[in-house]
Amino acid sequence: MRQIIIIGSGPAGFTAAIYAARAGLEPLMFASSVGIGGELMNTTEVENFPGFPEGIQGPELMQKMQEQAEKFGTEVVYDDVTDLDLDGDVKRVTSSDGVVHEAAAVIYATGSAYRKIGAPGEEKLTGHGVSSCATCDGFFFREQTIAVVGGGDSAMEEATFLTRFASKVYVIHRRDELKASKIMQQRAFDNEKIEFIWNSEVASIEGESGVTGMTLRSTVDGTESNLDVTGVFVAIGNDPRTHLVHGKLDLTDVGTIAVDGRSSRTSVEGVFAAGDVIDPTYRQAITAAGSGTVAALDAEHYLAAREQAAVSVGASA
Ligand code: NAP
């Protein structure tokens, strides 16, 4: 049986792994079969992670975190978790090959998933002109006119990045004011290739094998208009990935995993949660990393107390 299994390989998971491994707990990490590294793998330049004054590419940062975690003894498995049995003293984690892995403690750090608009055409055209990852798909839109939906930092980042390829980028936002930080807003405002379409939501996305246009609806008076684009990037935020723990761990009103105060302790003893999956507010790489630290320290204390209790029982027997 393992001491700790970590589920998720973003900044929270890897930081938890670094701490747990350095504490000699030899963690096993499930890093996903396709998406190791989490959201930062889809980011370009990360300028606000302390220690990198010149900035660092998201994938490079994640690779360094992985190297650091493995250097101290983390075993990283490129597989998905399909089921969890969290009751009792021994936690059971089933991977996609059907193997059941046992551990005394679990750190759940699965991050969040891209939110969808829910407009007709979006689902069908995802991967065929509709995307949530400018870094992955921007290259396909050279000299084309495309749209980015959203008004937060992600939308500004995606729009700015996409101007490297596209000839024109519309940013469609449902209000007349952005949610993004001032510096990201200014960068987008200063970019001649970006044009903002305010107070508008997506009514539908048109096309058969690729995007041919979209219909916008005014959030002020409901009038509809057409926009000729060949690509749509959806950047309207993320939702915590909690599907594996529904009915097993308590969730908050906003759908994140509930933890005890500032700790990472979930509603089930021996199960700890960290990163975007517990955080509806800050959701930064550095806060996720800090949260991963908290989870590793909480798990370490839990395991030490457990061992101490076992020794006491043994001594009194
Ligand atoms: P976000 O801050 O939650 O912003 C989501 C945006 O999408 C908001 O403008 C929101 O509109 C809009 N939106 C939400 N649901 C919508 C819907 N159904 N239809 C149309 N528009 C919708 O999400 P985010 O931009 O992904 O950022 C998430 C976190 O990551 C933030 O903390 C952000 O600072 C951070 N981040 C940082 C960087 C960076 O520093 N380099 C880059 C990316 C993200 P309203 O404004 O009307 O709510």
Side-chain angles (χ1 to χ4, degrees), residues 43 45-48 115-118 149-157 172-175 177-181 184 200-202 235-238 281-284:
T43 308
E45 191 88 354
V46 179
E47 294 175 324
N48 50 12
R115 209 172 277 158
K116 294 186 184 307
I117 310 169
V149 184
D153 279 339
S154 295
M156 297 311 107
E157 186 175 72
I172 299 158
H173 184 39
R174 62 185 179 184
R175 296 187 291 134
E177 205 180 6
L178 295 172
K179 187 179 175 186
S181 57
M184 305 280 271
S200 296
E201 58 190 10
V202 180
I236 60 171
N238 303 268
T281 315
Y282 302 105
R283 303 188 33 242
Q284 303 295 302

Side-chain angles (χ1 to χ4, degrees), residues 246-277:
H246 281 175
K248 296 176 181 175
L249 299 179
D250 288 352
L251 302 182
T252 66
D253 292 347
V254 291
T256 48
I257 293 174
V259 289
D260 181 14
R262 296 181 62 213
S263 83
S264 65
R265 290 188 297 273
T266 69
S267 53
V268 173
E269 209 178 49
V271 180
F272 306 87
D276 278 12
V277 81

Side-chain angles (χ1 to χ4, degrees), residues 43-66:
T43 308
T44 48
E45 191 88 354
V46 179
E47 294 175 324
N48 50 12
F49 201 92
F52 300 95
E54 299 87 19
I56 182 166
Q57 296 293 310
E60 192 188 345
L61 179 59
M62 293 321 299
Q63 195 191 332
K64 283 180 181 293
M65 287 191 196
Q66 180 174 355

Side-chain angles (χ1 to χ4, degrees), residues 141-146 162-163 165-169 193:
F141 297 90
R142 277 185 186 283
E143 299 307 319
Q144 298 183 34
T145 298
I146 59 177
L162 285 165
T163 59
F165 310 101
S167 50
K168 173 139 193 131
V169 179
K193 285 188 178 178

